[in-house]
Amino acid sequence: MHPTRWGDPAAAAPLPEGARGLIELAFGLDERAAEPDPEVPPVALAAELLDGLRTIVGVAHVLVDDDTRRRRTRGKSTPDLLRARAGELSDAPDAVVRPDGHDEVAAVLAYAAAHRIAVVPFGGGTCVTGGLAARRDGFAGLVSLDLVRMKRLLAVDEVSMTASLEPGLRGPEAEALLAEHGLTLGHFPQSFEHASIGGFAATRSSGQSSAGYGRFDAMVVGLTAVTPTGDLELGSAPATAAGPDLRQLLLGSEGTLGVITSVTVRVRRLPVEKRYDGWRWPSFAEGTAAMRTLAQAGLLPTVIRLSDETETAINLARPDQIGRSEPGCLMVVGYEDTAEAVAAKHDAVTTVLSGLGGTDLGEEPGRAWVAGRFAAPYLRDSLLDVGVLVETLETATFWSNLDRLYSDVKDALDGELDGAMVLCHISHVYETGASLYFTVAAKAGDDPLPRWQTAKAAASDAIIAAGATITHHHAVGTDHKPWFAEEIGPVGVRVLRAVKAELDPVGVLNPGVLIP
Ligand SMILES: Cc1cc2nc3c(=O)[nH]c(=O)nc-3n(C[C@H](O)[C@H](O)[C@H](O)COP(=O)(O)OP(=O)(O)OC[C@H]3O[C@@H](n4cnc5c(N)ncnc54)[C@H](O)[C@@H]3O)c2cc1C
């Protein structure tokens, strides 16, 4: 992907006319000139160290050209895009190193530790929290460890319903390989088309169908990782009482403790039938209560998402339909399974939702959501092109604290960004609570980055003050570190630092990321 934009240039589209009118009314249009390719700094890693890496992975797989280094710089948060649009790519890697397999990863890490070369594991590059923006001071140089050659389906166990996948497989590639066996992972984050299996594991990702298939970390039954001090092979049974679960140390470790070289996941049979309905609720509070009822009754469908009044009104859940939404709050409820199971779940859920005061809108809103489910990130680029800053943030808490969290975060964002639109939806629910996902749109003006950073800090302070988590699925990276430290407390910080010192004593893996 290009550092200034999301995804596939062929899929990018200009702002739809309806949205353009709405944006002009709200913020005015401030068309920006197309940005030139940002410059990358010269390669700082010594020639003999590059040669050493070439002896491990082959000459063709140590890339130092500007374009490759540009495309492996940072991730895809709005601050990442703004910096790249401003021509700032100062933390580009010196080289992009592409190992093929576990043993080559191990050899690269050993070489990097021996020569103090910082290593940034790179999956799909869709990180939104600075997890690819490692520190390079104190190191001989910094390389991006691109896992793009590690794309094999290693094993399928159709009796146990598990599959072992290499980390470089992108979402669609993994699904295509599993589909040959009639299987699916069911992990569809909005970044699905570009993010990787290793990245999902390293960030504890959660997909749009998490109600039915679970979060990614809940799907992982085993994994293999290379650390600078040796290999870890974890997960030999479906459940165990053999001490603390070390898999959980690697899940969410964001490339700081080891490189995940294979992941064994629980898989399901491909659904035969899919159905997505729309429901309207008079208020966000009533829709939220209905979600809680379903979760606590064990009646969750495969997909369930509820937009608040503002998000419903401008309908970011349906980017092709902005400005045409009904009043109240839109909920999308999706079912994927055998025909019989879909019918049974649909009937049970419909009875509960109708009884709670929801209005059944039929399948049209659900179909529209499915059609646009991966399109919103392209809309962000189109909005930046007309001078509108758009960014998202997310958190989670228990049901009893959800209302407070919702209003505190909204107030914090409103207080810092005059005239901003603050939208929210819930799309990951549990028996005990849910996540809140905020989208913020504001006039970019001349200096959007510091304004956004101030607003994000205020929202993060509000999240921690409300006793919620700093991230439900975007991970910590560099951006959330101060709040993460508050969340886990000083003893938690010491534990993480001790584990880091044990597994990566020289500190070459993603320096400055995650570990406070
Ligand atoms: C538009 C957009 C929509 C998004 N929607 C969602 C969503 O719906 N749900 C969600 O959970 N997230 C979402 N994200 C965030 C992001 O897609 C996830 O964090 C994803 O899991 C990152 O995967 P990746 O392969 O792109 O990882 P990368 O961005 O390449 O890396 C992420 C972190 O993991 C480390 N890493 C990567 N691979 C490995 C490995 N094999 N071993 C060890 N460390 C590794 C990297 O060093 C980095 O710290 C979204 C992001 C964008 C830009």
Side-chain angles (χ1 to χ4, degrees):
M1 276 187 283
H2 196 272
T4 61
R5 286 174 184 265
W6 173 251
D8 174 5
L15 213 51
E17 264 320 299
R20 213 178 150 80
L22 193 74
I23 293 303
E24 186 164 18
L25 214 60
F27 306 115
L29 294 176
D30 174 12
E31 307 270 0
R32 309 274 159 129
E35 63 283 349
D37 274 354
E39 298 277 322
V40 288
V43 174
L45 195 62
E48 63 269 24
L49 295 180
L50 289 170
D51 283 342
L53 291 166
R54 287 183 184 113
T55 58
I56 300 169
V57 295
V59 173
H61 298 295
V62 177
L63 302 164
V64 292
D65 64 283
D66 285 0
D67 197 45
T68 308
R69 292 167 58 220
R70 197 178 282 129
R71 288 170 189 276
R72 292 294 173 263
T73 306
R74 305 190 200 116
K76 284 286 169 278
S77 68
T78 298
D80 290 336
L81 301 182
L82 288 171
R83 285 195 192 98
R85 281 173 178 241
E88 205 282 287
L89 282 192
S90 56
D91 49 6
D94 293 309
V96 176
V97 178
R98 305 194 310 200
D100 187 13
H102 180 95
D103 293 349
E104 284 191 6
V105 172
V108 170
L109 288 197
Y111 188 82
H115 296 90
R116 292 194 69 83
I117 303 169
V119 176
V120 181
F122 189 99
T126 67
C127 176
V128 283
T129 53
L132 297 164
R135 223 189 52 226
R136 60 186 303 148
D137 52 291
F139 293 93
L142 180 147
V143 300
S144 172
L145 190 75
D146 189 343
L147 300 163
V148 68
R149 293 170 71 206
M150 296 174 63
K151 288 192 180 206
R152 283 162 284 239
L153 171 61
L154 299 170
V156 177
D157 176 348
E158 290 194 44
V159 177
S160 311
M161 291 296 279
T162 64
S164 300
L165 302 158
E166 280 197 320
L169 284 164
R170 303 292 196 273
E173 294 167 339
E175 284 294 337
L177 288 172
L178 291 172
E180 289 175 17
H181 298 263
L183 302 171
T184 179
L185 189 51
H187 186 66
F188 304 107
Q190 195 183 48
S191 52
F192 167 74
E193 291 165 313
H194 300 281
S196 71
I197 293 294
F200 296 148
T203 60
R204 289 183 182 274
S205 169
S206 193
Q208 294 171 343
S209 309
S210 66
Y213 291 100
R215 297 165 57 85
F216 194 81
D217 51 15
M219 300 175 184
V220 176
V221 297
L223 57 83
T224 309
V226 177
T227 82
T229 48
D231 293 355
L232 280 167
E233 241 185 281
L234 301 166
S236 51
T240 168
D245 188 348
L246 294 180
R247 277 175 312 186
Q248 301 300 329
L249 261 184
L250 269 294
L251 292 169
S253 62
E254 300 183 43
T256 62
L257 302 180
V259 178
I260 297 166
T261 51
S262 74
V263 185
T264 301
V265 282
R266 169 253 285 156
V267 289
R268 300 253 171 92
R269 294 266 165 235
L270 273 170
V272 176
E273 182 134 325
K274 296 182 181 181
R275 176 191 175 126
Y276 306 91
D277 292 337
W279 285 81
R280 190 166 60 244
W281 296 90
S283 68
F284 192 49
E286 283 155 286
T288 304
M291 286 177 132
R292 176 164 57 83
T293 302
L294 290 179
Q296 293 177 344
L299 268 183
L300 281 177
T302 313
V303 174
I304 186 157
R305 44 194 302 126
L306 172 73
S307 297
D308 73 354
E309 287 84 353
T310 316
E311 184 168 293
T312 301
I314 62 168
N315 215 343
L316 268 188
R318 297 163 59 187
D320 57 322
Q321 296 277 303
I322 284 178
R324 283 179 47 198
S325 57
E326 306 280 352
C329 291
L330 178 71
M331 179 188 273
V332 172
V333 184
Y335 312 87
E336 299 177 7
D337 211 321
T338 59
E340 303 73 39
V342 164
K345 187 62 89 59
H346 168 265
D347 291 352
V349 168
T350 299
T351 304
V352 173
L353 297 185
S354 302
L356 291 170
T359 306
D360 190 344
L361 303 175
E363 292 188 62
E364 195 278 328
R367 274 197 215 108
W369 173 76
V370 170
R373 67 191 289 189
F374 302 124
Y378 293 102
L379 189 61
R380 172 175 61 164
D381 290 332
S382 312
L383 287 166
L384 284 170
D385 290 344
V386 296
V388 178
L389 165 93
V390 183
E391 183 55 311
T392 62
L393 63 93
E394 41 75 58
T395 173
T397 194
F398 297 106
W399 289 115
S400 56
N401 194 37
L402 203 69
D403 285 354
R404 174 194 168 186
L405 181 63
Y406 175 67
S407 45
D408 286 2
V409 174
K410 247 172 109 69
D411 289 350
L413 291 166
D414 283 334
E416 293 296 336
L417 289 170
D418 210 20
M421 286 181 189
V422 179
L423 291 52
C424 185
H425 68 247
I426 297 175
S427 51
H428 307 280
V429 297
Y430 307 90
E431 270 179 78
T432 54
S435 80
L436 292 175
Y437 186 96
F438 293 90
T439 302
V440 183
K443 198 174 170 59
D446 292 334
D447 213 358
L449 192 53
R451 279 178 64 231
W452 168 249
Q453 283 167 330
T454 307
K456 174 76 192 273
S460 301
D461 288 345
I463 285 169
I464 294 300
T469 180
I470 192 61
T471 172
H472 168 265
H473 58 266
H474 279 172
V476 174
T478 47
D479 298 358
H480 290 149
K481 253 181 16 169
W483 295 277
F484 174 54
E486 283 192 58
E487 189 171 327
I488 62 173
V491 177
V493 169
R494 288 210 314 271
V495 170
L496 276 185
R497 286 182 184 162
V499 173
K500 171 80 174 169
E502 178 59 37
L503 295 179
D504 180 20
V506 186
V508 291
L509 273 171
N510 243 351
V513 170
L514 177 70
I515 315 283

mmCIF file of all heavy atoms in Angstrom, residues 61 119 176 291 362 392:
data_model
loop_
_atom_site.group_PDB
_atom_site.id
_atom_site.type_symbol
_atom_site.label_atom_id
_atom_site.label_comp_id
_atom_site.label_asym_id
_atom_site.label_seq_id
_atom_site.Cartn_x
_atom_site.Cartn_y
_atom_site.Cartn_z
ATOM 1 N N HIS A 61 16.053 -10.824 -1.702
ATOM 2 C CA HIS A 61 15.082 -10.590 -0.625
ATOM 3 C C HIS A 61 15.572 -9.619 0.447
ATOM 4 O O HIS A 61 15.033 -9.579 1.554
ATOM 5 C CB HIS A 61 14.641 -11.933 -0.039
ATOM 6 C CG HIS A 61 13.971 -12.775 -1.071
ATOM 7 N ND1 HIS A 61 12.769 -12.410 -1.643
ATOM 8 C CD2 HIS A 61 14.360 -13.914 -1.695
ATOM 9 C CE1 HIS A 61 12.439 -13.297 -2.553
ATOM 10 N NE2 HIS A 61 13.394 -14.221 -2.612
ATOM 11 N N VAL A 119 14.581 -4.625 14.446
ATOM 12 C CA VAL A 119 13.757 -5.416 13.513
ATOM 13 C C VAL A 119 12.280 -5.111 13.765
ATOM 14 O O VAL A 119 11.797 -5.241 14.890
ATOM 15 C CB VAL A 119 13.994 -6.929 13.737
ATOM 16 C CG1 VAL A 119 13.076 -7.760 12.855
ATOM 17 C CG2 VAL A 119 15.453 -7.289 13.483
ATOM 18 N N ALA A 176 -9.319 -18.143 1.178
ATOM 19 C CA ALA A 176 -9.362 -18.916 -0.077
ATOM 20 C C ALA A 176 -8.761 -20.308 0.135
ATOM 21 O O ALA A 176 -9.304 -21.309 -0.356
ATOM 22 C CB ALA A 176 -8.624 -18.168 -1.186
ATOM 23 N N MET A 291 -29.005 -5.464 22.769
ATOM 24 C CA MET A 291 -27.778 -6.255 22.532
ATOM 25 C C MET A 291 -27.400 -7.029 23.782
ATOM 26 O O MET A 291 -27.008 -8.203 23.726
ATOM 27 C CB MET A 291 -26.611 -5.325 22.175
ATOM 28 C CG MET A 291 -26.678 -4.748 20.787
ATOM 29 S SD MET A 291 -25.293 -3.626 20.548
ATOM 30 C CE MET A 291 -24.679 -4.177 18.975
ATOM 31 N N GLY A 362 -36.186 -5.308 7.647
ATOM 32 C CA GLY A 362 -35.968 -6.254 6.545
ATOM 33 C C GLY A 362 -34.508 -6.321 6.143
ATOM 34 O O GLY A 362 -33.626 -5.838 6.859
ATOM 35 N N THR A 392 -10.500 7.191 14.005
ATOM 36 C CA THR A 392 -11.335 6.366 14.871
ATOM 37 C C THR A 392 -10.569 6.026 16.150
ATOM 38 O O THR A 392 -9.338 6.093 16.186
ATOM 39 C CB THR A 392 -11.711 5.048 14.165
ATOM 40 O OG1 THR A 392 -10.517 4.325 13.894
ATOM 41 C CG2 THR A 392 -12.451 5.291 12.865
#
